[in-house]
Amino acid sequence: MSYGGDSRMGGGLGNKQEIMQQVQQEMLMSQMQGLVQRMSLTCFEKCIEKPGTSLSSSEQSCLAKCMDRYLETTTVVTNSYAGRVQQMASQGEH
């Protein structure tokens, strides 16, 4: 790994924006992985009574519904939070 003299690592504004965009994408990916992990654990504990080599049809149905509800809830909470942040930001401008 080189820490100096790399022409790709110039100090230009475009490069900083690219790095920030990459960091934001990596943070989003990490958040999504955490969401999937929490959802999997929550729904597994709720729906799987006896872990085995296959899932019963009721377990499959429960998992599908649980994951749908989990994602819907996460979307509602995220949108609500984003709306409040935006509202607070606009109030700060006045």
Side-chain angles (χ1 to χ4, degrees):
M1 177 180 274
S2 174
Y3 291 102
D6 189 343
S7 62
R8 295 176 297 158
M9 298 300 287
L13 181 60
N15 192 39
K16 288 180 183 179
Q17 289 173 341
E18 289 173 13
I19 291 170
M20 289 299 295
Q21 185 177 18
Q22 183 177 0
V23 168
Q24 288 174 341
Q25 288 174 350
E26 289 177 10
M27 287 174 56
L28 180 59
M29 184 62 108
S30 177
Q31 290 171 348
M32 292 302 295
Q33 288 172 339
L35 171 65
V36 169
Q37 183 179 20
R38 288 186 306 276
M39 179 177 60
S40 297
L41 289 172
T42 299
C43 293
F44 183 87
E45 289 176 0
K46 178 181 180 199
C47 297
I48 309 300
E49 295 178 18
K50 298 180 200 172
T53 57
S54 62
L55 298 174
S56 69
S57 60
S58 63
E59 289 172 332
Q60 290 177 15
S61 177
C62 180
L63 284 170
K65 289 177 183 178
C66 180
M67 290 182 166
D68 285 345
R69 297 297 174 259
Y70 199 97
L71 290 174
E72 286 175 18
T73 302
T74 300
T75 299
V76 168
V77 170
T78 301
N79 290 341
S80 176
Y81 179 74
R84 288 184 182 188
V85 167
Q86 190 174 29
Q87 183 181 20
M88 290 172 61
S90 67
Q91 288 176 352
E93 293 175 357
H94 295 281

